[in-house]
Structures are given as structure tokens and as C-alpha cells.
Short mmCIF file of all heavy atoms in Angstrom, two decimals:
data_model
loop_
_atom_site.label_atom_id
_atom_site.label_comp_id
_atom_site.label_asym_id
_atom_site.label_seq_id
_atom_site.Cartn_x
_atom_site.Cartn_y
_atom_site.Cartn_z
N PRO A 147 21.51 44.56 10.71
CA PRO A 147 21.03 44.32 9.24
C PRO A 147 21.23 43.04 8.76
O PRO A 147 20.53 42.55 7.87
CB PRO A 147 21.77 45.38 8.59
CG PRO A 147 23.08 45.66 9.37
CD PRO A 147 22.55 45.57 10.72
N ASP A 148 22.30 42.28 9.32
CA ASP A 148 22.44 40.84 8.87
C ASP A 148 21.69 39.89 9.67
O ASP A 148 22.23 39.03 10.40
CB ASP A 148 24.04 40.50 8.96
CG ASP A 148 24.46 39.37 8.05
OD1 ASP A 148 23.74 39.16 7.04
OD2 ASP A 148 25.45 38.78 8.40
N ASN A 149 20.40 39.91 9.50
CA ASN A 149 19.41 39.11 10.25
C ASN A 149 18.80 38.04 9.37
O ASN A 149 18.05 38.48 8.43
CB ASN A 149 18.41 40.03 10.94
CG ASN A 149 17.41 39.28 11.76
OD1 ASN A 149 17.53 38.02 12.08
ND2 ASN A 149 16.45 39.97 12.32
N TRP A 150 19.04 36.87 9.56
CA TRP A 150 18.61 35.76 8.62
C TRP A 150 17.80 34.69 9.46
O TRP A 150 18.26 34.45 10.54
CB TRP A 150 19.73 35.10 7.90
CG TRP A 150 20.49 35.97 6.91
CD1 TRP A 150 21.38 36.87 7.12
CD2 TRP A 150 20.18 36.08 5.54
NE1 TRP A 150 21.77 37.54 5.98
CE2 TRP A 150 21.01 36.95 4.94
CE3 TRP A 150 19.26 35.37 4.56
CZ2 TRP A 150 20.92 37.29 3.54
CZ3 TRP A 150 19.25 35.59 3.37
CH2 TRP A 150 20.26 36.60 2.77
N THR A 151 16.84 34.09 8.85
CA THR A 151 16.18 33.00 9.53
C THR A 151 16.26 31.80 8.52
O THR A 151 16.01 31.98 7.29
CB THR A 151 14.66 33.33 9.77
OG1 THR A 151 14.60 34.24 10.91
CG2 THR A 151 14.02 32.07 10.27
N ARG A 152 16.67 30.76 9.03
CA ARG A 152 16.62 29.45 8.24
C ARG A 152 15.49 28.69 8.43
O ARG A 152 15.02 28.43 9.64
CB ARG A 152 17.89 28.49 8.80
CG ARG A 152 18.11 27.25 8.07
CD ARG A 152 19.11 26.46 8.70
NE ARG A 152 19.15 25.07 8.26
CZ ARG A 152 19.75 24.05 8.80
NH1 ARG A 152 20.22 24.25 10.01
NH2 ARG A 152 19.75 22.83 8.16
N PHE A 153 14.77 28.42 7.26
CA PHE A 153 13.43 27.66 7.31
C PHE A 153 13.76 26.31 6.80
O PHE A 153 14.61 26.08 5.87
CB PHE A 153 12.43 28.38 6.46
CG PHE A 153 11.93 29.60 7.04
CD1 PHE A 153 12.52 30.84 6.81
CD2 PHE A 153 10.80 29.77 7.77
CE1 PHE A 153 12.24 32.05 7.26
CE2 PHE A 153 10.29 30.86 8.25
CZ PHE A 153 10.96 32.12 8.09
N LEU A 154 12.95 25.38 7.19
CA LEU A 154 13.01 23.97 6.75
C LEU A 154 11.61 23.65 6.06
O LEU A 154 10.55 24.21 6.50
CB LEU A 154 13.23 22.95 7.82
CG LEU A 154 14.59 23.12 8.54
CD1 LEU A 154 14.65 21.85 9.72
CD2 LEU A 154 15.78 22.95 7.62
N VAL A 155 11.65 22.92 5.02
CA VAL A 155 10.55 22.33 4.43
C VAL A 155 10.41 20.90 4.80
O VAL A 155 11.24 20.08 4.68
CB VAL A 155 10.44 22.46 2.90
CG1 VAL A 155 9.22 21.94 2.36
CG2 VAL A 155 10.49 23.90 2.45
N ILE A 156 9.30 20.43 5.41
CA ILE A 156 9.23 19.06 5.97
C ILE A 156 8.11 18.35 5.17
O ILE A 156 7.16 18.91 4.73
CB ILE A 156 8.89 18.98 7.49
CG1 ILE A 156 7.65 19.80 7.75
CG2 ILE A 156 10.00 19.64 8.29
CD1 ILE A 156 7.14 19.65 9.31
N GLY A 157 8.28 16.88 5.11
CA GLY A 157 7.33 16.11 4.51
C GLY A 157 7.16 14.81 5.26
O GLY A 157 7.81 14.55 6.10
N PRO A 158 6.23 14.03 4.85
CA PRO A 158 5.96 12.71 5.50
C PRO A 158 7.03 11.54 5.28
O PRO A 158 6.94 10.58 6.08
CB PRO A 158 4.55 12.29 5.12
CG PRO A 158 4.55 12.97 3.73
CD PRO A 158 5.28 14.23 3.75
N ARG A 159 7.69 11.73 4.32
CA ARG A 159 8.63 10.74 3.85
C ARG A 159 10.07 11.30 3.59
O ARG A 159 10.11 12.52 3.11
CB ARG A 159 8.25 9.87 2.61
CG ARG A 159 7.04 9.01 3.11
CD ARG A 159 6.36 8.37 1.84
NE ARG A 159 5.71 9.39 0.97
CZ ARG A 159 4.62 9.98 1.19
NH1 ARG A 159 3.90 9.49 2.21
NH2 ARG A 159 4.08 10.84 0.44
N PRO A 160 11.19 10.63 3.53
CA PRO A 160 12.35 11.08 3.19
C PRO A 160 12.32 11.43 1.65
O PRO A 160 11.71 10.89 0.82
CB PRO A 160 13.41 10.00 3.46
CG PRO A 160 12.74 9.08 4.43
CD PRO A 160 11.25 9.11 4.11
N GLY A 161 13.13 12.55 1.29
CA GLY A 161 13.21 12.93 -0.01
C GLY A 161 14.01 11.86 -0.82
O GLY A 161 14.83 11.13 -0.20
N GLU A 162 13.74 11.72 -2.17
CA GLU A 162 14.43 10.73 -3.01
C GLU A 162 15.20 11.34 -4.11
O GLU A 162 14.76 12.38 -4.75
CB GLU A 162 13.43 9.77 -3.53
CG GLU A 162 12.73 8.95 -2.42
CD GLU A 162 11.70 8.00 -3.04
OE1 GLU A 162 11.60 7.99 -4.25
OE2 GLU A 162 11.07 7.23 -2.25
N GLY A 163 16.31 10.77 -4.55
CA GLY A 163 17.08 11.15 -5.70
C GLY A 163 17.85 12.48 -5.57
O GLY A 163 17.63 13.24 -4.60
N GLY A 164 18.62 12.75 -6.59
CA GLY A 164 19.15 13.91 -6.75
C GLY A 164 20.49 14.21 -5.82
O GLY A 164 20.79 13.43 -5.09
N ASN A 165 21.09 15.45 -6.10
CA ASN A 165 22.23 15.70 -5.36
C ASN A 165 21.86 16.44 -4.03
O ASN A 165 21.34 17.47 -4.06
CB ASN A 165 23.17 16.74 -6.14
CG ASN A 165 24.07 15.98 -6.91
OD1 ASN A 165 24.58 14.92 -6.66
ND2 ASN A 165 24.57 16.62 -8.03
N ARG A 166 22.25 15.86 -2.93
CA ARG A 166 21.80 16.34 -1.58
C ARG A 166 23.16 16.64 -0.89
O ARG A 166 23.99 15.82 -0.77
CB ARG A 166 20.98 15.37 -0.93
CG ARG A 166 19.63 15.43 -1.64
CD ARG A 166 18.69 14.31 -1.07
NE ARG A 166 19.06 13.04 -1.47
CZ ARG A 166 18.44 11.87 -1.06
NH1 ARG A 166 17.33 12.04 -0.45
NH2 ARG A 166 18.84 10.74 -1.55
N ASP A 167 23.19 17.89 -0.33
CA ASP A 167 24.53 18.39 0.28
C ASP A 167 24.56 18.22 1.81
O ASP A 167 25.56 18.23 2.33
CB ASP A 167 24.71 19.88 -0.04
CG ASP A 167 24.36 20.19 -1.49
OD1 ASP A 167 25.04 19.73 -2.37
OD2 ASP A 167 23.43 21.04 -1.78
N LYS A 168 23.35 18.16 2.37
CA LYS A 168 23.36 18.18 3.83
C LYS A 168 22.44 17.10 4.47
O LYS A 168 21.55 16.58 3.72
CB LYS A 168 22.80 19.50 4.24
CG LYS A 168 23.58 20.67 3.83
CD LYS A 168 22.88 21.95 4.23
CE LYS A 168 23.13 22.27 5.62
NZ LYS A 168 22.66 23.74 6.12
N THR A 169 22.80 16.61 5.64
CA THR A 169 21.89 15.71 6.38
C THR A 169 21.76 16.19 7.79
O THR A 169 22.63 16.72 8.44
CB THR A 169 22.57 14.26 6.44
OG1 THR A 169 22.61 13.82 5.09
CG2 THR A 169 21.74 13.33 7.19
N SER A 170 20.52 16.14 8.37
CA SER A 170 20.13 16.50 9.66
C SER A 170 19.90 15.20 10.38
O SER A 170 19.04 14.42 9.96
CB SER A 170 19.05 17.48 9.80
OG SER A 170 19.39 18.72 9.21
N VAL A 171 20.43 15.12 11.70
CA VAL A 171 20.13 13.88 12.47
C VAL A 171 19.87 14.25 13.99
O VAL A 171 20.32 15.33 14.44
CB VAL A 171 21.27 12.87 12.45
CG1 VAL A 171 21.71 12.37 11.10
CG2 VAL A 171 22.61 13.55 13.12
N LEU A 172 19.15 13.52 14.57
CA LEU A 172 18.86 13.53 15.98
C LEU A 172 19.49 12.27 16.71
O LEU A 172 19.32 11.19 16.22
CB LEU A 172 17.40 13.52 16.30
CG LEU A 172 16.61 14.81 16.21
CD1 LEU A 172 15.06 14.58 16.49
CD2 LEU A 172 17.04 15.98 17.08
N PHE A 173 20.17 12.56 17.75
CA PHE A 173 20.89 11.37 18.42
C PHE A 173 20.96 11.59 20.00
O PHE A 173 21.09 12.69 20.38
CB PHE A 173 22.25 10.88 17.85
CG PHE A 173 23.29 11.90 18.16
CD1 PHE A 173 24.13 11.84 19.16
CD2 PHE A 173 23.59 12.89 17.21
CE1 PHE A 173 25.24 12.70 19.54
CE2 PHE A 173 24.65 13.82 17.37
CZ PHE A 173 25.42 13.58 18.57
N THR A 174 20.93 10.39 20.70
CA THR A 174 21.24 10.52 22.04
C THR A 174 22.45 9.58 22.30
O THR A 174 22.65 8.71 21.47
CB THR A 174 20.09 10.00 22.91
OG1 THR A 174 19.73 8.73 22.55
CG2 THR A 174 18.90 10.95 22.66
N VAL A 175 23.13 9.76 23.38
CA VAL A 175 24.30 8.95 23.70
C VAL A 175 24.11 8.25 25.00
O VAL A 175 23.31 8.58 25.86
CB VAL A 175 25.60 9.81 23.72
CG1 VAL A 175 25.88 10.42 22.33
CG2 VAL A 175 25.47 10.88 24.73
N PRO A 176 24.90 7.04 25.18
CA PRO A 176 24.88 6.34 26.49
C PRO A 176 25.28 7.15 27.60
O PRO A 176 26.14 8.20 27.39
CB PRO A 176 25.77 5.17 26.19
CG PRO A 176 25.95 5.10 24.82
CD PRO A 176 25.71 6.37 24.22
N ASP A 177 24.85 6.90 28.75
CA ASP A 177 25.23 7.75 30.01
C ASP A 177 26.52 7.11 30.57
O ASP A 177 26.63 6.43 31.40
CB ASP A 177 24.23 7.71 31.07
CG ASP A 177 24.45 8.65 32.18
OD1 ASP A 177 25.39 9.40 32.15
OD2 ASP A 177 23.65 8.52 33.20
N LYS A 178 27.61 7.62 29.87
CA LYS A 178 28.98 7.11 30.22
C LYS A 178 29.99 8.21 29.80
O LYS A 178 29.72 8.94 28.88
CB LYS A 178 29.30 5.72 29.64
CG LYS A 178 29.32 5.81 28.16
CD LYS A 178 29.76 4.37 27.74
CE LYS A 178 30.13 4.47 26.12
NZ LYS A 178 30.48 3.11 25.59
N PRO A 179 31.17 8.24 30.43
CA PRO A 179 32.24 9.22 30.12
C PRO A 179 32.72 9.02 28.67
O PRO A 179 32.92 7.98 28.29
CB PRO A 179 33.25 8.97 31.10
CG PRO A 179 32.71 8.34 32.24
CD PRO A 179 31.46 7.48 31.69
N GLY A 180 32.82 10.10 27.97
CA GLY A 180 33.35 10.00 26.64
C GLY A 180 32.42 9.63 25.55
O GLY A 180 32.73 9.55 24.36
#
């Protein structure tokens, strides 16, 4: 019964202004230990 889906609303530019609680990022790392 506790089945939830998280949806995102996407746009062509970053949102502006206001109180924002979260940030999502994509990153890759160099091919080296640690």
C-alpha cells in the first residue's frame, strides 16, 4: 500500500528566485582511486 512515485517537472532553463530546498546534479569522476 505504501507505493509512491516521485515525478519531476522539467523546463528549458533553471528556475529563478524563491526558497529552494533541493538541488539535483549529474557528475562523473576521474578514473583514479578514491
Side-chain angles (χ1 to χ4, degrees):
D148 198 28
N149 180 7
W150 292 82
T151 293
R152 177 188 175 200
F153 291 86
L154 299 180
V155 178
I156 57 173
R159 289 169 294 278
E162 295 181 358
N165 271 332
R166 291 172 284 184
D167 318 296
K168 302 176 73 173
T169 299
S170 294
V171 301
L172 284 176
F173 68 90
T174 60
V175 296
D177 188 7
K178 66 178 185 179

